[in-house]
Every structure is written in structure tokens, then in C-alpha cells.
Amino acid sequence: MNGSDSIIKELFGISDCDLVSTEETVEKGKRCKTIHLTYSGGVPGECPKCGGRTYSHGKRDLTIADTPMGGVPIRLVITFPRRRCSQCRNLWQPLFDNVNETRKMTSRAYADIAQRSLRATFREVAEDYMLTHVTVKNVFEDFIREYDRQLRFKTPAFLGIDEIKIKKIGEVTVITDLEHRTVYDMLDGRNQKRLTEYFMTMPDREKVLWVCSDMYRPFQKTIGTAMPNARWAIDHFHVVMKANEAVDTIRRALQQSMPRKDRINTKRGLAYTLKTRRRDLTVDEAVKIRQLRKNPELEPLAMAFDLKEDFFDIWDENPSSKDNAMAAFDRWEQEIPEDAVYESFRILAKTVHNFHEQIFHYWDCPLAISNGYTECANRLIRETNMKGRGYSFETLRGRSLYRKYNLLAIINSGGLSIGPRVLAKGPLFTTEAVDAEDTEVEEEEWEPFPEPEYEVDETTGEIME
């Protein structure tokens, strides 16, 4: 290895090349440096495929991108010879270490582009490299597919499932680890067939003990088929939310018989107040509720407010007793007036009966299970999608699963089952702007969640003594 070859190896990681020249140009108002190299390695006189004699088949230039230096994009142009076999016509040309010839860039540029794309838009990365945003997108998706084959997250014992609708993608199913508050996976679609196929191939699916979701009925068959040891608990926030919907239904029904002015005043003055919890009412809002009780035409709104509050109290006043909660529901149902105007609350009671077992599983789960984290993850996924002005599903999934905070939590919880060692520090896997969750901390001090203070029977899901 001569001096020039050694320098090229040290600078770019490419062997058997000598430096020829460098030049700096300005393209589209941006400086760009081009470094010309020539191949200096061995050239076979015999065909490596059949052993026949080879002859010169001219020279070619390979232009590849490298990581920018001092903010200046770098291009490497490698001139190399080619040899053709006189017998089998096989064409030989040298292979270069640390070069991704498919994407026409060095291996380190490939990794840098992929990692930058986790926290910046494709166009921003493309501008730094003087590439097209389509090239950057392709590199990122290649990297994610490659990384997805290497990384496997451990199957959670407490699974959260929810869906979001993403423009240009459609329905996306988001799956989370509720115990450790991490995103586990994302699926393109939400129908029962798709869900069942996914969960039937999920590794260690028998280790799932609890699944929390909304009242999407196909979940019942999917969970029963694919997760033999899991119990389905319906997120109680989705249940109590229906009490607010019942109040809105009554308010709209009463407004239909009002003059336009009164209808607008009622909507503006009461729509929000009626859905506010009693303990959170301001003085003015409490006065509005009292005034409703004195008005025969609007008194049903006060009754609807009371029914809504009593329904919320089933959870609030019975945090640890399932029997007391079921008894409270029975009493609440009996207190619904027979008037037709309260039909929306009778529908709510019927919904609870239809999902009685799954709703009251809330009190059986050792985590007081809730899908609140999944809802939070959905918001972050939407924001990530908005930053990119509409990603493909694969890109959105990669940016969500492999963001820094998610991986740090998985690593610290021991939730990484197989795959390469992932460094917990540095810019890798960051997708959000720098904020509280990206603040640099010492690795040994990182405690994103407390360890559970219980042991769970893997068969029944009950707390063990």
C-alpha cells in the first residue's frame, strides 16, 4: 500500500485507490468538492469464473457521494478498468470496500443519510448531500427494512391497540407496550383478517396477558384466536366518553325546538360546561347548571349532567373494588328516567351490557390498565407525518418505532430480544425536535419508568403473592 492509497483508505475507507486530483465547483449556488481517484489494485489475467484469458474492456467512472466535509458536499469519482473473458464473456470489474454501489454512495454516507432522515425531512438531508429527496427516501426505506430484520422487540405482557387515520395512508393500527410505555409496532390497516394474521405470527404471543383497546368488536375474535392467555380490557376512557356523547345528544334534541337565537346561545353557553366534570366547574359554570334546574324546558340538561357525573363516578369512587363498581353501575342504570329524551343514556347502558366482561376487566388488571399512552403515541405519529408532508407507511413506521426516546425506553427495560447493540447516546434515532425527552442524561441515570412492584402469573394474569 503506497502513501496515497493509505491516505484514501484512512479518509474514505476505500482500499486500492490513489488520489488523482481534487476540484471545487459551485452547483445551484452551493459549493461542491469532487475528488478523483483511480483504481490501483490487481487486475486478473484469467477469468475468475471459468479461468479463460481476459482482455481489456475499457475504463469506467464510478461517481459516489460521501459525507459532507465542513458542510461541503463531497463527490468521489473512481476510475477503474474492466476485463472481458474471451471464452465465457464474463465481465470483471473491481469491488470496492465500504461502497454501496446500489445507491452510489459510501457506506458511511448511506448510514448518515438514514440516521439524519430519522430527525430531519428528506429534502433537508438531500440539500446537504446535493441529492434528490427521492434518493434520500429510498436510502431511508432500505435502511429501515434492513434494520427491521435485525431488531426484534420483546412481546409485551400488556398490549395496547388503537387506530389512527393518516392522510394518503388510511387506517393505521398502533400497537404499544403499556407497561413500559413504548411503541411496539404499527400495521397498515385494521380489519380483522389483517390483525389476526399479524398476531398469529407474533413471536411469544402466548406471553401476552392483557390487551387494552376501544370497543372494536373484531378485537375479540383476534385476541381469542391469536393470544390464548390474554384478556381483553376495554379502555375506560372510551367508555366514559360515551356519557359525554349522550349529554350532547340530549342537548341537540332540545335545541331543535328552540328559536335560532336561543339555540345558538345554548350551544355557546352550555356545550362545554355540560361536559366539564363537577369538580372542575368554575363559579360561573356552576351557576349555569343551577339555573338549568329552575327552567322546566332545560331541566333535562341538568339531569343529563348528573347522569354523566354519576357514570364517571363508577370508576372514580370505586378504584379497587370490582363488585362495588358493578353494583354502582346497576344503581346508575335504574336511575335513568323513563322519558324518551334520555334514550341516549339507555343506549349507553346497553353498550355496557354488551361489553360487560371486557369493561369490568379494568378492575382485574394489576396495572389499572389504560390506553392513554397509545393515544399519546398516536399524537406523536400524526405530528411526525405532518413534518414530512405525507410519508409512506414504511417511512412513518420507521420514524416512529426507531425514534430515540422509544428505543431508549426499550433498551432500559430489557425489551430488546435480538439484534445489534444500540448505543443509548448520540443523535441516532431522534425524530422530534430537541425537547425534554431528548435531553442528554448519563446512561446509568436513565429511568424512564419504575420497575413493576409485583409479579404476575403468566397464565391467569393475576398478581402473585
Side-chain angles (χ1 to χ4, degrees):
M1 182 181 291
N2 60 39
S4 175
D5 192 345
S6 176
I7 293 173
I8 298 302
K9 175 68 175 177
E10 183 178 343
L11 288 177
F12 307 108
I14 301 175
S15 303
D16 300 326
C17 284
D18 290 334
L19 176 64
V20 176
S21 64
T22 63
E23 61 177 322
E24 188 170 303
T25 58
V26 177
E27 300 177 19
K28 298 180 180 178
K30 188 176 181 68
R31 293 168 56 206
C32 177
K33 180 170 288 188
T34 302
I35 301 174
H36 294 272
L37 309 175
T38 184
Y39 177 71
S40 60
V43 178
E46 296 181 351
C47 175
K49 189 173 182 181
C50 72
R53 187 176 62 84
T54 64
Y55 60 89
S56 175
H57 196 68
K59 293 184 178 182
R60 284 293 176 90
D61 289 340
L62 174 64
T63 302
I64 57 176
D66 191 39
T67 51
M69 292 184 180
V72 178
I74 300 296
R75 294 285 182 273
L76 304 179
V77 180
I78 306 175
T79 302
F80 59 89
R82 302 196 300 172
R83 305 285 292 185
R84 173 77 75 180
C85 177
S86 58
Q87 294 184 20
C88 70
R89 310 301 296 170
N90 176 56
L91 182 64
W92 174 90
Q93 63 184 45
L95 297 176
F96 298 100
D97 295 337
N98 299 313
V99 171
N100 186 318
E101 292 195 28
T102 301
R103 295 300 175 198
K104 299 293 190 292
M105 58 187 61
T106 60
S107 297
R108 66 182 185 183
Y110 173 86
D112 183 63
I113 288 172
Q115 293 171 20
R116 286 197 194 188
S117 297
L118 282 161
R119 62 186 187 273
T121 66
F122 295 147
R123 292 185 184 276
E124 289 171 344
V125 178
E127 183 176 348
D128 289 342
Y129 273 84
M130 292 190 68
L131 299 171
T132 68
H133 71 278
V134 175
T135 298
V136 173
K137 169 183 173 293
N138 291 338
V139 167
F140 178 77
E141 293 188 351
D142 285 352
F143 179 84
I144 290 300
R145 279 190 288 268
E146 183 179 311
Y147 207 84
D148 201 41
R149 287 191 292 268
Q150 299 178 61
L151 268 184
R152 291 292 182 275
F153 300 156
K154 287 184 179 178
T155 300
F158 300 85
L159 209 66
I161 308 177
D162 201 6
E163 86 289 341
I164 51 175
K165 290 187 177 180
I166 302 293
K167 189 176 181 180
K168 296 183 180 181
I169 294 178
E171 283 193 333
V172 172
T173 301
V174 179
I175 305 168
T176 60
D177 179 343
L178 296 178
E179 182 180 12
H180 299 119
R181 298 175 65 81
T182 57
V183 180
Y184 175 76
D185 208 348
M186 292 167 59
L187 299 181
D188 190 0
R190 197 201 183 201
N191 62 68
Q192 182 174 298
K193 181 175 181 292
R194 177 79 176 95
L195 291 171
T196 302
E197 288 175 349
Y198 173 82
F199 286 112
M200 284 297 291
T201 59
M202 184 172 67
D204 301 322
R205 53 193 170 92
E206 71 279 356
K207 292 184 178 180
V208 179
L209 303 180
W210 289 90
V211 178
C212 186
S213 71
D214 58 17
M215 288 173 279
Y216 184 55
R217 182 62 79 176
F219 285 147
Q220 186 169 22
K221 185 173 182 180
T222 296
I223 295 167
T225 301
M227 290 172 270
N229 298 322
R231 284 193 276 180
W232 180 23
I234 290 177
D235 180 25
H236 75 282
F237 288 110
H238 282 90
V239 182
V240 297
M241 178 180 66
K242 292 190 175 297
N244 279 328
E245 294 174 0
V247 172
D248 270 342
T249 300
I250 293 173
R251 176 180 57 79
R252 294 189 188 101
L254 292 177
Q255 286 176 199
Q256 289 181 355
S257 60
M258 296 178 181
R260 183 174 182 276
K261 183 177 180 180
D262 292 343
R263 184 167 66 248
I264 293 174
N265 289 337
T266 302
K267 181 177 180 180
R268 287 178 177 174
L270 292 172
Y272 177 79
T273 299
L274 290 170
K275 290 187 286 187
T276 302
R277 296 302 310 276
R278 183 183 286 116
R279 60 175 178 261
D280 298 325
L281 291 173
T282 65
V283 174
D284 290 341
E285 289 170 337
V287 169
K288 290 180 182 178
I289 300 297
R290 286 198 297 270
Q291 290 175 341
L292 291 177
R293 302 185 193 281
K294 300 176 183 179
N295 187 330
E297 294 182 1
L298 298 179
E299 193 273 337
L301 291 178
M303 174 59 73
F305 176 83
D306 293 338
L307 287 170
K308 179 261 296 183
E309 285 297 298
D310 292 343
F311 190 74
F312 273 80
D313 286 342
I314 295 171
W315 283 263
D316 292 351
E317 296 183 357
N318 304 282
S320 58
S321 175
K322 180 178 180 179
D323 291 338
N324 290 347
M326 290 192 293
F329 168 71
D330 292 338
R331 291 193 299 271
W332 175 85
E333 185 178 17
Q334 294 171 6
E335 292 172 358
I336 301 174
E338 296 182 359
D339 305 58
V341 71
Y342 301 106
E343 180 64 21
S344 58
F345 280 100
R346 280 187 285 275
I347 293 174
L348 172 56
K350 184 177 180 180
T351 299
V352 174
H353 284 296
N354 289 340
F355 294 91
H356 192 275
E357 179 183 9
Q358 293 83 9
I359 289 174
F360 287 96
H361 266 161
Y362 170 81
W363 281 269
D364 297 325
C365 181
L367 282 184
I369 198 163
S370 164
N371 228 15
Y373 173 75
T374 312
E375 298 283 353
C376 178
N378 289 349
R379 178 181 61 80
L380 289 174
I381 291 168
R382 285 193 182 95
E383 290 178 358
T384 298
N385 186 64
M386 290 175 62
K387 290 177 183 178
R389 300 179 183 178
Y391 290 121
S392 67
F393 170 74
E394 291 78 10
T395 299
L396 183 61
R397 177 180 177 274
R399 290 178 66 99
S400 302
L401 256 60
Y402 304 131
R403 68 192 186 96
K404 184 177 181 181
Y405 181 74
N406 193 57
L407 283 185
L408 278 174
I410 289 171
I411 292 165
N412 282 277
S413 70
L416 186 65
S417 58
I418 63 173
R421 180 172 180 267
V422 182
L423 297 176
K425 296 181 180 180
L428 189 60
F429 309 121
T430 304
T431 60
E432 295 81 23
V434 176
D435 56 23
E437 72 175 27
D438 285 321
T439 302
E440 185 176 352
V441 295
E442 293 298 323
E443 188 171 353
E444 62 272 13
E445 296 178 352
W446 178 265
E447 296 180 0
F449 44 79
E451 289 298 320
E453 299 178 353
Y454 54 80
E455 293 185 12
V456 180
D457 188 300
E458 293 192 355
T459 302
T460 65
E462 301 291 346
I463 298 177
M464 298 172 61
E465 297 295 335

